[in-house]
Amino acid sequence: MLLRVPIKPNDLGFNELIEALENCPSIRDTQNRRDVIGFLHDIGKQVEERNTVRDSVLSILKALSGFPDRFDELIDAINFYEQNNSYFQNLIQVVSDLARQQQEARNNSKEEIALFDVKLQNNDCDETFESLWTDLQSILNTIDWKNIWKACSEIKEINKNYEDSSYIKSLCFTKNYELLKQEFLNQYKPRLLLIIKLAQSLKDDNGHIKSWLDKANHKLEKTEAALDPNINENSSCLPPILLIIIERLGDGQNQDKWNVQGQFKIQGKLFEISLSKNKNGIDCPKFENIPTAIKSYIDYLETDPQFRGQAIDQLRIEVFIPLSDLHSSLDNWAMICEEEATISLVRNYRLFLRSRERIRKNSRIGSLKKGWERIHTFLNGDCREISKNILANDINNTPASNIIEILGDTQISNWKKLEIFMKNCSNLWGIILKGSLFVDKIERMRFFESIFDSGIPIAVWNWDSIPSEVEFEQEFTQCLSCDNLSDRCRGLLEKTWELRSVVWGARTETERKQYPGYYLGMLLEDPEILPDEKPLQIIGGN
């Protein structure tokens, strides 16, 4: 609840806090003070009892200095004896004033750079948020701060780490609702849904929360936030995403030249990135120049001040490449870095494969959305075991499952038949090719086209034959868990990226081939993450 415990005379609030504690009878009395220290459990064991009250108080503060968020335990222990008397009320006032000063200092020290003016605008959704927050705030004033903190602590979006959690707890203790509101406004998740989640976790005896929720649901129906709740819940968890669109420049003398364009998706908004005056992306004379062009877009997002504080460290990069040019692993894409050395992009960046064709055909997007509905149905069902079946030669006799596996020696004589089969399987959302990707370009194209047209969201294959000593199956199975499928498969993407990136910690190709991630090829298509071909708002330095 405090962000820092003052332990030095020049620390903010040091003298006031020492005096307020010394004035409490429970602290002045030796035996009661020992009991108060005993209530602190593990922290109390670090307190050294001193001869004077002031020295003992200072010892208590030093023990708490490493756990400022647990200062409320000391207050509760003291109040066990003080019973809310005037000395205790004075202590609460001093602690509250100190906590608020620390909150304001923390808030002012942060660089408040608005990204694309994501703060409140004069639109219906923002007016609704302001109105609902104002009404909710009056209810929060009647609820014990600990119950508010308990409700906030269940919202992972505003408790990303220990520091965030301590800050939110401090805001709840002081009931500093203006700064608490800003924490909700800073989220990628639709803010209206987050404060509804907060209200749903609160309880009051007067029915005020129920009335507020009824009003909130009514207002949501009139705003853009009133989309399918499943879509809202899923899309809200998206990190910042760099969308890279790769195109061939043309035929003839330009047939081996490429154009790389970048779009940036954050907080539900999509922007075109321009790094050149012509705003037409970056032209690459050779295919192997593409990774360096991608790095230029990454560098822009990582170094431009307007993105500071926008979780760029969690940036995901989705590369949309023409199907006909999908012939090698993105993990082998190397960029030229310092001292003319080369380094794989995937070593440091969350790089994922997407299909350029997916954008061009609306029917394929519609099929993909149905595929994601199957994942959602699976996650919300009673069964938590992912079912797999091996694709038999007689496709129609293959049992229904979540995933089908195609063995490396299976001959697919009719890919269209496979596509129709997969489209009609109500539980199917994944396909695994148990062998290396087809060398033959036509067979490779048919494999991916069957995935696209059937709407299967997740496809896995191997870029090369896997040696028997490499435990690929075990490693990948751990990635493909139910928990990793939630939040639009964010965990699956994260774990598979870790599996792939660790390969590049090895120095030689021979060493890299000993890691399972070396062989992993995966396509995870999401209909909520697509580039836009319409004119977009442009960001960039030129």
Side-chain angles (χ1 to χ4, degrees), residues 336-347:
I336 298 176
C337 53
E338 298 177 357
E339 301 177 354
E340 297 299 315
T342 59
I343 185 174
S344 170
L345 270 175
V346 78
R347 177 177 177 176

PDB file of all heavy atoms in Angstrom, residues 336-347:
ATOM      1  N   ILE A 336      21.822  -8.348 -41.206  1.00  0.00           N
ATOM      2  CA  ILE A 336      23.192  -7.890 -40.997  1.00  0.00           C
ATOM      3  C   ILE A 336      23.193  -6.927 -39.823  1.00  0.00           C
ATOM      4  O   ILE A 336      22.418  -5.969 -39.786  1.00  0.00           O
ATOM      5  CB  ILE A 336      23.743  -7.197 -42.259  1.00  0.00           C
ATOM      6  CG1 ILE A 336      23.782  -8.190 -43.413  1.00  0.00           C
ATOM      7  CG2 ILE A 336      25.128  -6.625 -42.000  1.00  0.00           C
ATOM      8  CD1 ILE A 336      24.220  -7.585 -44.727  1.00  0.00           C
ATOM      9  N   CYS A 337      24.030  -7.194 -38.835  1.00  0.00           N
ATOM     10  CA  CYS A 337      24.092  -6.328 -37.658  1.00  0.00           C
ATOM     11  C   CYS A 337      25.494  -5.744 -37.543  1.00  0.00           C
ATOM     12  O   CYS A 337      26.203  -5.609 -38.540  1.00  0.00           O
ATOM     13  CB  CYS A 337      23.692  -7.089 -36.404  1.00  0.00           C
ATOM     14  SG  CYS A 337      24.598  -8.622 -36.162  1.00  0.00           S
ATOM     15  N   GLU A 338      25.891  -5.375 -36.342  1.00  0.00           N
ATOM     16  CA  GLU A 338      27.171  -4.714 -36.150  1.00  0.00           C
ATOM     17  C   GLU A 338      28.333  -5.608 -36.585  1.00  0.00           C
ATOM     18  O   GLU A 338      28.274  -6.831 -36.497  1.00  0.00           O
ATOM     19  CB  GLU A 338      27.337  -4.326 -34.675  1.00  0.00           C
ATOM     20  CG  GLU A 338      26.277  -3.335 -34.203  1.00  0.00           C
ATOM     21  CD  GLU A 338      26.420  -3.041 -32.725  1.00  0.00           C
ATOM     22  OE1 GLU A 338      27.303  -3.643 -32.085  1.00  0.00           O
ATOM     23  OE2 GLU A 338      25.639  -2.208 -32.225  1.00  0.00           O
ATOM     24  N   GLU A 339      29.379  -4.965 -37.063  1.00  0.00           N
ATOM     25  CA  GLU A 339      30.612  -5.634 -37.484  1.00  0.00           C
ATOM     26  C   GLU A 339      30.358  -6.646 -38.602  1.00  0.00           C
ATOM     27  O   GLU A 339      31.037  -7.663 -38.713  1.00  0.00           O
ATOM     28  CB  GLU A 339      31.290  -6.317 -36.288  1.00  0.00           C
ATOM     29  CG  GLU A 339      31.655  -5.350 -35.166  1.00  0.00           C
ATOM     30  CD  GLU A 339      32.260  -6.046 -33.973  1.00  0.00           C
ATOM     31  OE1 GLU A 339      32.284  -7.304 -33.994  1.00  0.00           O
ATOM     32  OE2 GLU A 339      32.706  -5.372 -33.045  1.00  0.00           O
ATOM     33  N   GLU A 340      29.340  -6.348 -39.427  1.00  0.00           N
ATOM     34  CA  GLU A 340      29.034  -7.171 -40.597  1.00  0.00           C
ATOM     35  C   GLU A 340      28.661  -8.612 -40.246  1.00  0.00           C
ATOM     36  O   GLU A 340      28.647  -9.487 -41.112  1.00  0.00           O
ATOM     37  CB  GLU A 340      30.222  -7.180 -41.588  1.00  0.00           C
ATOM     38  CG  GLU A 340      30.542  -5.818 -42.161  1.00  0.00           C
ATOM     39  CD  GLU A 340      29.377  -5.215 -42.943  1.00  0.00           C
ATOM     40  OE1 GLU A 340      28.771  -5.946 -43.735  1.00  0.00           O
ATOM     41  OE2 GLU A 340      29.077  -4.034 -42.748  1.00  0.00           O
ATOM     42  N   ALA A 341      28.368  -8.868 -38.982  1.00  0.00           N
ATOM     43  CA  ALA A 341      27.928 -10.211 -38.588  1.00  0.00           C
ATOM     44  C   ALA A 341      26.446 -10.359 -38.901  1.00  0.00           C
ATOM     45  O   ALA A 341      25.727  -9.377 -39.090  1.00  0.00           O
ATOM     46  CB  ALA A 341      28.177 -10.424 -37.107  1.00  0.00           C
ATOM     47  N   THR A 342      25.984 -11.588 -38.971  1.00  0.00           N
ATOM     48  CA  THR A 342      24.564 -11.829 -39.212  1.00  0.00           C
ATOM     49  C   THR A 342      23.958 -12.523 -38.012  1.00  0.00           C
ATOM     50  O   THR A 342      24.630 -13.291 -37.317  1.00  0.00           O
ATOM     51  CB  THR A 342      24.352 -12.692 -40.471  1.00  0.00           C
ATOM     52  OG1 THR A 342      25.035 -13.936 -40.303  1.00  0.00           O
ATOM     53  CG2 THR A 342      24.854 -11.983 -41.709  1.00  0.00           C
ATOM     54  N   ILE A 343      22.693 -12.257 -37.798  1.00  0.00           N
ATOM     55  CA  ILE A 343      21.998 -12.854 -36.659  1.00  0.00           C
ATOM     56  C   ILE A 343      20.560 -13.140 -37.056  1.00  0.00           C
ATOM     57  O   ILE A 343      19.931 -12.366 -37.793  1.00  0.00           O
ATOM     58  CB  ILE A 343      22.054 -11.921 -35.427  1.00  0.00           C
ATOM     59  CG1 ILE A 343      21.433 -12.600 -34.209  1.00  0.00           C
ATOM     60  CG2 ILE A 343      21.395 -10.589 -35.718  1.00  0.00           C
ATOM     61  CD1 ILE A 343      21.594 -11.800 -32.930  1.00  0.00           C
ATOM     62  N   SER A 344      20.026 -14.244 -36.593  1.00  0.00           N
ATOM     63  CA  SER A 344      18.649 -14.596 -36.912  1.00  0.00           C
ATOM     64  C   SER A 344      17.685 -13.633 -36.231  1.00  0.00           C
ATOM     65  O   SER A 344      17.843 -13.300 -35.055  1.00  0.00           O
ATOM     66  CB  SER A 344      18.350 -16.022 -36.454  1.00  0.00           C
ATOM     67  OG  SER A 344      16.967 -16.297 -36.548  1.00  0.00           O
ATOM     68  N   LEU A 345      16.678 -13.193 -36.958  1.00  0.00           N
ATOM     69  CA  LEU A 345      15.659 -12.298 -36.388  1.00  0.00           C
ATOM     70  C   LEU A 345      14.933 -12.951 -35.219  1.00  0.00           C
ATOM     71  O   LEU A 345      14.604 -12.302 -34.233  1.00  0.00           O
ATOM     72  CB  LEU A 345      14.645 -11.907 -37.468  1.00  0.00           C
ATOM     73  CG  LEU A 345      14.930 -10.656 -38.290  1.00  0.00           C
ATOM     74  CD1 LEU A 345      13.878 -10.518 -39.379  1.00  0.00           C
ATOM     75  CD2 LEU A 345      14.952  -9.410 -37.430  1.00  0.00           C
ATOM     76  N   VAL A 346      14.678 -14.247 -35.348  1.00  0.00           N
ATOM     77  CA  VAL A 346      13.854 -14.921 -34.352  1.00  0.00           C
ATOM     78  C   VAL A 346      14.589 -15.084 -33.023  1.00  0.00           C
ATOM     79  O   VAL A 346      13.971 -15.379 -32.005  1.00  0.00           O
ATOM     80  CB  VAL A 346      13.395 -16.303 -34.869  1.00  0.00           C
ATOM     81  CG1 VAL A 346      14.514 -17.344 -34.758  1.00  0.00           C
ATOM     82  CG2 VAL A 346      12.153 -16.785 -34.137  1.00  0.00           C
ATOM     83  N   ARG A 347      15.883 -14.860 -33.025  1.00  0.00           N
ATOM     84  CA  ARG A 347      16.639 -14.972 -31.769  1.00  0.00           C
ATOM     85  C   ARG A 347      16.157 -13.942 -30.750  1.00  0.00           C
ATOM     86  O   ARG A 347      16.079 -14.225 -29.554  1.00  0.00           O
ATOM     87  CB  ARG A 347      18.123 -14.782 -32.040  1.00  0.00           C
ATOM     88  CG  ARG A 347      18.972 -14.809 -30.777  1.00  0.00           C
ATOM     89  CD  ARG A 347      20.442 -14.696 -31.094  1.00  0.00           C
ATOM     90  NE  ARG A 347      21.255 -14.650 -29.884  1.00  0.00           N
ATOM     91  CZ  ARG A 347      22.571 -14.625 -29.867  1.00  0.00           C
ATOM     92  NH1 ARG A 347      23.244 -14.644 -30.994  1.00  0.00           N
ATOM     93  NH2 ARG A 347      23.237 -14.578 -28.722  1.00  0.00           N
TER      94      ARG A 347
END
